[in-house]
Amino acid sequence: MKKVRKAVIPAAGLGTRFLPATKALPKEMLPIVNKPTIQYIVEEAVQAGIEEIIIVTGKGKRAIEDHFDNSYELEENLKKKNKLDLLEKVQASSKIDIHYIRQKSPKGLGHAVWCARKFIGDEPFAVLLGDDIVQNEKPCIQQLVENYEQTVCSVIGVQEVPMNQTHRYGIIDPKSQDGRLFNVHQFVEKPKKNPPSNLAIIGRYVLTPEIFDFLDKKEIGAGGEIQLTDAIQRLNESQGVYAYQFEGKRYDVGETLGFVLTNIEMALKNKDIQQDVLKGIKQILEYNKLPLV
């Protein structure tokens, strides 16, 4: 059995939900307090023992590459001013070995993963989406890797969502359950009605390289795009794919409300600014004569 050493992070989306902010700035670079969203994703992969990462970018995403590169002028300036804590934080993002490939046209998540096929080769690999930040003592993707090592099959991360939200996600139709691990009958991309469950695919995958056999076909699915979920279902029919209900707090930063609430919660967890944030929220409510609900 080959070890999971590589990870794909798709970051080629247009970020239309955050316009006009994303007209010139990649949505993956929008900050959660003082750290870009994509850095949380990269750090999760590194903490889980991933050795090599490829980020699939698109037009106008150069800021992502710059962020994970060295910034000599800035670093020298911080050294001269003896701002060593800030220097350490700046250098941390440039110590990670990251590769890049461009998705030349927005053809869907399945196509974005397909673009990394030559980098992956014949190894199992992880996929981490930037719309979801998951915090847990044991990184989410590590939990999936451990289950892959037990099953030697692809493993998809899932969590429960409200039934009225299932149309927004890929949903699993579970066949049997062993603790948090599900044997899956079918993976359904964004069911418009009669969802088979409320267990939604939440942006974390460990996939065997055979997934590329199905992505190669470039079949068009929901939304007129090449859907990763459709290829996963084909893989499931061929060799079996499991779903794992991972442990951890998931933050949905792929839409405006979730992004704002995540910023508030992360700020409240930051001991350096926690009290000032609480004070500021109280002042905002009082000034606008809004009740604390």
Side-chain angles (χ1 to χ4, degrees):
M1 180 185 69
K2 293 184 178 180
K3 181 182 176 183
V4 179
R5 301 186 309 109
K6 299 177 180 179
V8 179
I9 300 178
L14 298 176
T16 52
R17 293 178 183 176
F18 290 95
L19 285 170
T22 49
K23 182 181 178 182
L25 180 71
K27 72 170 184 176
E28 296 83 7
M29 290 300 297
L30 294 174
I32 304 297
V33 186
N34 61 351
K35 187 189 298 185
T37 303
I38 195 167
Q39 189 168 335
Y40 287 90
I41 311 304
V42 168
E43 288 175 353
E44 179 187 333
V46 172
Q47 289 165 9
I50 296 297
E51 299 171 12
E52 295 184 75
I53 295 171
I54 186 167
I55 298 179
V56 183
T57 65
K59 186 178 179 181
K61 302 278 186 167
R62 184 61 185 269
I64 296 174
E65 296 183 39
D66 290 341
H67 176 71
F68 290 107
D69 199 357
N70 292 107
S71 180
Y72 296 107
E73 184 177 344
L74 173 61
E75 291 172 23
E76 286 301 315
N77 185 275
L78 293 173
K79 285 179 185 176
K80 289 177 182 178
K81 294 182 178 180
N82 203 35
K83 296 183 177 181
L84 301 183
D85 288 346
L86 279 176
L87 176 63
E88 184 179 354
K89 291 178 181 178
V90 168
Q91 290 179 330
S93 62
S94 61
K95 291 180 179 178
I96 304 163
D97 186 19
I98 299 178
H99 308 265
Y100 300 90
I101 190 168
R102 177 170 286 195
Q103 183 186 25
K104 295 181 180 179
S105 57
K107 296 181 180 179
L109 176 58
H111 183 260
V113 173
W114 176 85
C115 289
R117 67 198 182 285
K118 293 181 181 178
F119 172 80
I120 297 301
D122 62 351
E123 301 180 36
F125 64 102
V127 178
L128 300 91
L129 305 190
D131 284 350
D132 296 289
I133 293 173
V134 182
Q135 293 203 325
N136 193 61
E137 184 175 347
K138 179 183 288 188
C140 175
I141 201 66
Q142 183 180 339
Q143 297 175 46
L144 300 189
V145 168
E146 290 176 356
N147 277 275
Y148 163 77
E149 292 171 347
Q150 292 176 9
T151 62
V152 199
C153 288
S154 298
V155 183
I156 314 302
V158 297
Q159 277 198 338
E160 291 184 343
V161 298
M163 288 298 291
N164 63 0
Q165 295 294 312
T166 53
H167 66 281
R168 298 177 53 208
Y169 301 90
I171 300 295
I172 70 165
D173 180 5
K175 187 161 46 176
S176 61
Q177 180 178 359
D178 181 9
R180 289 179 170 270
L181 190 67
F182 293 86
N183 196 324
V184 180
H185 172 65
Q186 190 175 14
F187 295 83
V188 183
E189 178 63 21
K190 298 179 180 177
K192 294 181 179 180
K193 59 182 180 179
N194 301 322
S197 76
N198 68 332
L199 288 165
I201 300 171
I202 307 291
R204 299 293 184 275
Y205 314 75
V206 171
L207 300 169
T208 57
E210 287 79 12
I211 191 74
F212 294 117
D213 294 339
F214 302 101
L215 291 175
D216 276 338
K217 297 178 181 178
K218 300 179 182 178
E219 295 177 352
I220 303 301
E225 297 182 334
I226 300 170
Q227 295 292 347
L228 181 60
T229 303
D230 294 342
I232 290 171
Q233 174 54 25
R234 301 291 180 270
L235 184 65
N236 184 41
E237 294 166 1
S238 172
Q239 61 179 219
V241 177
Y242 288 88
Y244 183 74
Q245 190 173 3
F246 60 84
E247 297 180 71
K249 175 67 182 292
R250 173 236 181 178
Y251 298 88
D252 182 358
V253 295
E255 46 86 26
T256 306
L257 177 60
F259 178 79
V260 171
L261 293 176
T262 299
N263 259 290
I264 293 171
E265 184 168 341
M266 293 293 192
L268 289 172
K269 288 183 175 182
N270 187 321
K271 293 181 180 179
D272 293 336
I273 60 174
Q274 183 184 73
Q275 292 305 315
D276 289 334
V277 172
L278 283 168
K279 182 179 178 181
I281 291 173
K282 183 179 179 182
Q283 290 174 343
I284 291 169
L285 291 172
E286 290 176 350
Y287 180 82
N288 291 281
K289 297 180 181 179
L290 295 170
L292 181 62
V293 293

